Amino acid sequence: MVRSLTVHSLVDALVDSLRERILTSDIQAGAPLTEMEVARDYDVARPTARTAIERLVAAGLLHRGAHKSARVPVLGIAEIRDMYFARGCLEAETLRRLAATRAVPDAARDAVGELASVTDSGSLPALVEPDIRFHRELVDALASPRLSRLHLAVMGEMRLCMAQVQAHRLLRPEEIVAEHELILERVAAGDGEGAAAAGVAHLDRACTELTHHLDQPSGADR
């Protein structure tokens, strides 16, 4: 079967399609994704397939070992907890510093509004991308290129975790919106420790729900 693409740029469209297939587990964790397979499935040239795969590797949605095919990472519970821990350290300090000047980025508010407009029946990218953008805008507001790069690297892998949280309906969009709004309220109030605590609690709850779900013998949805 030749898959169809909505073309804005061919590589962008291919990346978007592969990203959604990874996030929805149509491409399974641990499965190899080769240039030949992508070129065949989408009827594109191998250099186009190679570029799309490399962009997904750079984004953390695929991993590639030396001289090996790219694969969707298989994330264990310890790795998931470590990712949430690392992210929490970065974001907690970000929130403390934003609260010191009561700086609430407009783009972060916009991301919350976009997420609030999405229902449970929305596509995974529609649920995950505004959530990611909310946190990215907070970090980027500190205008530290190095901190932004560190956070971007963590969030690449985090997409897989956040997609699983949404795919299994472990947190509803309205719950995420409420937690995001609380974070912004505390930043606007100048409550640095309160903002940091709200941010860490938000991440801890998602981590707990996801690891509990994955630790069940059947992994079945509730």
Side-chain angles (χ1 to χ4, degrees):
M1 176 184 70
V2 175
R3 298 180 183 274
S4 62
L5 296 172
T6 300
V7 177
H8 29 109
S9 116
L10 185 57
V11 172
D12 288 345
L14 182 54
V15 169
D16 287 347
S17 179
L18 291 171
R19 180 190 295 115
E20 181 152 11
R21 291 177 62 201
I22 291 168
L23 295 180
T24 57
S25 297
D26 182 44
I27 301 175
Q28 293 287 326
L33 189 65
T34 66
E35 296 168 14
M36 184 178 298
E37 175 188 0
V38 172
R40 180 197 66 224
D41 287 354
Y42 289 94
D43 193 22
V44 298
R46 286 187 64 171
T48 300
R50 182 183 310 119
T51 300
I53 288 172
E54 290 308 321
R55 281 176 49 176
L56 291 167
V57 170
L61 289 176
L62 293 172
H63 284 179
R64 187 199 294 277
H67 311 297
K68 293 183 179 179
S69 298
R71 294 175 183 269
V72 179
V74 179
L75 299 176
I77 287 176
E79 290 176 292
I80 291 170
R81 287 175 175 153
D82 185 54
M83 279 191 285
Y84 275 102
F85 170 73
R87 182 180 164 194
C89 291
L90 289 172
E91 294 189 11
E93 185 59 24
T94 293
L95 294 170
R96 291 187 186 97
R97 290 179 179 268
L98 291 176
T101 57
R102 301 174 187 259
V104 178
D106 289 338
R109 291 192 187 279
D110 292 343
V112 175
E114 184 178 337
L115 185 58
S117 70
V118 179
T119 67
D120 270 344
S121 60
S123 70
L124 273 177
L127 289 162
V128 172
E129 292 308 316
D131 191 351
I132 290 174
R133 190 163 63 255
F134 169 81
H135 296 279
R136 292 285 305 140
E137 294 294 346
L138 293 174
V139 173
D140 288 348
L142 293 182
S144 168
R146 288 172 179 79
L147 184 64
S148 290
R149 286 199 296 270
L150 285 171
H151 189 255
L152 182 62
V154 172
M155 292 305 287
E157 291 185 302
M158 285 297 307
R159 269 185 169 84
L160 294 169
C161 296
M162 295 168 77
Q164 289 189 63
V165 169
Q166 291 295 355
H168 299 302
R169 302 295 189 255
L170 303 180
L171 296 177
R172 297 177 63 84
E174 55 265 33
E175 294 173 319
I176 298 171
V177 168
E179 292 175 358
H180 285 182
E181 288 176 339
L182 177 60
I183 291 168
L184 296 185
E185 286 171 10
R186 293 187 175 174
V187 169
D191 180 6
E193 289 308 316
V200 170
H202 168 62
L203 298 181
D204 283 350
R205 192 160 80 90
C207 182
T208 297
E209 291 289 341
L210 178 57
T211 54
H212 175 73
H213 174 81
L214 296 177
D215 204 32
Q216 299 306 301
S218 63
D221 291 338
R222 299 173 185 176

